[in-house]
Amino acid sequence: MSVWKNTINLICMSVIVSACVTVGNSKSTEGPKNVIIMIGDGMGFSQLDAASIYAYGTPKKQPYWAYQSLAMSTYSESTGEAYDPQQAWASFDYHLHTPTDSAASATALSTGVKTLNGRIGMDAAEKPLRHLIEDAEEMGKATGVLTTVYLSHATPAAFTSHAPSRKDSEAIAQEIINESALDLLIGAGHPWYDDDHQKKAEASYGKVGGETLWKSIETGTAGADADGDGIADPWTMLDNFTGFDTKTGAALPKRLLGVLPVNTTLQFNRGGDEKADAYSVPRTKNLPDMATLMRGALNFLSRDTHGFFLMAEGGAIDWAGHDNLPGRLIEEQRDFDQAIEAVATWVEANSSWDDTLLIITADHETGYLYGKGSNPTWEALQNHGAGKMPDTQWHTHEHTNQLVPLFAKGNGAEELLKHIKGEDPRRGSYVDNTDISKVIRSIWR
């Protein structure tokens, strides 16, 4: 397959541009050496507000609000129509109409092509699409995928594999592990651990590709040729992440498959009262947070002198939305926010914003979260101060087709302004999820 080319280059009107830009960005004439996409699965604007209110006592206090700030539409081919900003705020039910899912939306982010819900790296006709990661590998860059849920879940799958249905986790895991040229893969799905990080009496291998593949991972024989020399490059498996973010140089293998020692999620599915306030239930010990995983992943990938591409997902924000659990939502959103801060710190200490493009967004919103008393209006979350739960109200257990947040910093961030699709009455200027890969490909040329 040929490299997907940028085909749309809409010029933002000067009045819209002035409203969109919140900070200056790198003016380097060369494209970024490193690209990092961070996806908060299920993360909408209200999810950001809930975490900010809890952490800082006021909305919009996360440091990334100082980055270039836009919104992004997420509709899929299953939706049948593009986002309409006027209709969106004329009817409370509009946001519930045929929303995307993570498979279709992550495929759009990775490939630049809309597809049907459930598709992984394929268009509506089941034709395989080319991923950004494939472009990066062709350029000689190191590549990585990291998630806080299991590694064959929809979002990591849609950046690395091709399948007509997201439901076939075992086959997807087999493709990612046995056929991809990734240098780094980190996610949950350990067959021998439950979600409290306790050893199980009986293993469940489906999330990591089946028992045969797992045994080859354990023996260090799983993995394809990743560097193009015709010789297989097996994975080195890691399931103990103590000190992971401090390992460098000779302490790191050529390819790393990190299997978090939990079955589905790092912390979201731990025991205890899931309806409790944030952090009331003690966190499971001896597990890394997302910030630790990000520091370790960046150290690992940055060994490549050609640069790297990393997609990192905070995956359980979505799970909290599906279950309408505000306490666990705040925990997951804060974990993601702190991982973003760790990335910014790493870039400024070990690289530069001239060499790096950081994009932060979501695949969709989950739960239709607003303040109490919403419907037919959209009320703000009620703020009770830092360290206290804001009052919230959910309006679905499913996804919505609302615009989601989009932040960018570094070399190439300003290119997003050339793709603005319109102006939303509440969220301002917005682009589409297909524009993310188009922008990255345009600045990589």
Side-chain angles (χ1 to χ4, degrees), residues 88-386:
W89 303 104
S91 166
F92 197 83
D93 290 338
Y94 176 87
H95 294 299
L96 299 171
H97 294 166
T98 54
T100 189
D101 77 334
S102 295
S105 57
T107 293
L109 288 165
S110 177
T111 70
V113 179
K114 298 282 188 186
T115 191
L116 297 174
N117 291 356
R119 295 276 193 272
I120 295 289
M122 287 183 166
D123 67 14
E126 298 188 14
K127 177 183 177 182
L129 300 168
R130 185 176 176 92
H131 294 296
L132 279 170
I133 280 174
E134 295 176 88
D135 293 351
E137 288 162 353
E138 193 172 84
M139 297 168 68
K141 295 181 182 293
T143 57
V145 165
L146 183 159
T147 180
T148 61
V149 297
Y150 57 90
L151 55 84
S152 54
H153 204 253
T155 301
F159 270 80
T160 53
S161 59
H162 309 85
S165 173
R166 61 180 289 177
K167 295 179 181 180
D168 196 350
S169 295
E170 188 166 314
I172 288 168
Q174 290 170 1
E175 181 182 357
I176 298 172
I177 295 167
N178 274 337
E179 300 178 30
S180 81
L182 286 172
D183 298 283
L184 175 78
L185 176 62
I186 297 176
H190 201 296
W192 284 104
Y193 283 90
D194 65 17
D195 282 323
D196 287 310
H197 183 48
Q198 298 298 307
K199 274 287 188 76
K200 298 190 297 185
E202 187 174 341
S204 53
Y205 298 99
K207 295 178 178 64
V208 289
E211 184 175 2
T212 299
L213 178 55
W214 177 254
K215 292 187 181 303
S216 67
I217 292 169
E218 287 186 310
T219 58
T221 58
D225 175 18
D227 56 15
D229 64 358
I231 301 172
D233 298 300
W235 295 97
T236 297
M237 196 267 280
L238 176 71
D239 62 3
N240 183 339
F241 289 81
T242 301
F244 174 60
D245 57 339
T246 63
K247 294 180 180 178
T248 58
L252 296 170
K254 183 175 183 179
R255 298 182 80 193
L256 179 64
L257 174 54
V259 186
L260 300 167
V262 284
N263 190 245
T264 62
T265 72
L266 266 175
Q267 294 286 349
F268 174 79
N269 269 341
R270 72 187 188 278
D273 182 6
E274 61 181 13
K275 296 182 180 180
D277 290 353
Y279 306 105
S280 295
V281 176
R283 308 277 278 177
T284 305
K285 296 180 179 180
N286 300 317
L287 292 176
D289 58 11
M290 190 176 178
T292 298
L293 296 177
M294 291 300 293
R295 287 189 292 266
L298 294 170
N299 289 338
F300 184 93
L301 294 170
S302 63
R303 299 177 301 169
D304 194 311
T305 58
H306 297 95
F308 62 83
F309 176 91
L310 173 63
M311 189 288 291
E313 179 200 27
I317 299 168
D318 173 69
W319 298 40
H322 280 298
D323 289 348
N324 290 179
L325 300 174
R328 300 236 166 159
L329 162 69
I330 287 171
E331 293 175 357
E332 294 300 322
Q333 185 65 56
R334 285 295 298 149
D335 189 55
F336 186 68
D337 288 350
Q338 290 164 341
I340 295 169
E341 294 175 37
V343 170
T345 299
W346 185 93
V347 169
E348 290 161 8
N350 299 282
S351 181
S352 72
W353 292 112
D354 280 338
D355 278 347
T356 306
L357 173 62
L358 170 62
I359 292 175
I360 304 155
T361 192
D363 46 3
H364 53 71
E365 192 272 350
T366 304
Y368 207 170
L369 180 66
Y370 278 92
K372 287 188 174 181
S374 295
N375 190 3
T377 59
W378 296 265
E379 302 299 325
L381 307 184
Q382 187 173 355
N383 185 350
H384 297 292

